[in-house]
Amino acid sequence: KRIDKWFQEGVEPVDGSEMSAPSSSRRILPSSFLVVGEHNFVISWFNEEYTDIMHSYFRKLGARPGSRDGCRAIRSTEEKLAIEIFTILQNKLGKDGRFLKKSGVCHDLNEVGDDEAMDKILKDLIGRNSRIDKWLQDEMEG
């Protein structure tokens, strides 16, 4: 049985397969992300602008060292870059704009304060190796 949610209108499966991902490279966004006002900024991998900014900084930093000493050595650089990224994102907020973060259990967006936004940015910088297939691949193709 064909599962229509995987197909765009007018697009047929390739190689006779019945299930495949959409041929488009467009990102599928949770509906809660579509109603965010321009004055707010969503700190999430679902936000393409956030992803682009973070991947740019990941490429500057490179892969995170695997050793404990290596991680300690780069930690201050990661913290400085997190502050730099936070400042960039703060400048993107409109008048009375707020940072929004996706809930861990669903796609609802919750308003977060500056400290939690900063924590999320630093956490994503530190965890960059878990997304290395995305940002390193972009660098090789670009």
Side-chain angles (χ1 to χ4, degrees):
K1 181 181 171 197
R2 182 175 175 169
I3 300 176
D4 291 327
K5 72 177 184 176
W6 290 107
F7 295 94
Q8 294 177 336
E9 192 171 314
V11 176
E12 289 300 316
V14 180
D15 299 323
S17 65
E18 286 298 312
M19 280 187 69
S20 66
S23 61
S24 169
S25 63
R26 284 188 0 222
R27 300 178 90 174
I28 298 172
L29 294 176
S31 60
S32 60
F33 283 62
L34 302 176
V35 294
V36 173
E38 287 186 21
H39 59 285
N40 293 323
F41 194 88
V42 179
I43 300 175
S44 168
W45 295 120
F46 283 105
N47 180 349
E48 197 166 331
E49 187 175 9
Y50 177 75
T51 301
D52 290 345
I53 290 167
M54 295 303 286
H55 285 184
S56 171
Y57 277 86
F58 291 177
R59 285 188 285 276
K60 289 176 187 176
L61 271 172
R64 191 158 205 261
S67 71
R68 199 174 276 195
D69 290 338
C71 288
R72 273 192 218 116
I74 199 165
R75 182 65 187 233
S76 66
T77 302
E78 291 169 335
E79 290 170 351
K80 287 176 189 171
L81 288 178
I83 292 168
E84 190 175 314
I85 293 167
F86 177 78
T87 303
I88 289 168
L89 299 183
Q90 242 183 349
N91 290 334
K92 292 185 173 293
L93 295 176
K95 184 178 185 212
D96 299 323
R98 302 283 184 248
F99 287 115
L100 304 172
K101 184 177 148 187
K102 188 180 87 55
S103 167
V105 295
C106 64
H107 291 300
D108 291 345
L109 295 173
N110 301 311
E111 187 177 308
V112 296
D114 290 351
D115 289 342
E116 192 171 346
M118 182 67 176
D119 289 346
K120 164 77 167 124
I121 293 165
L122 183 58
K123 179 181 152 231
D124 287 345
L125 270 176
I126 290 170
R128 65 187 174 275
N129 286 0
S130 67
R131 299 182 61 82
I132 201 164
D133 60 318
K134 306 264 190 280
W135 59 267
L136 192 58
Q137 178 183 16
D138 291 348
E139 182 181 61
M140 287 182 202
E141 291 173 358

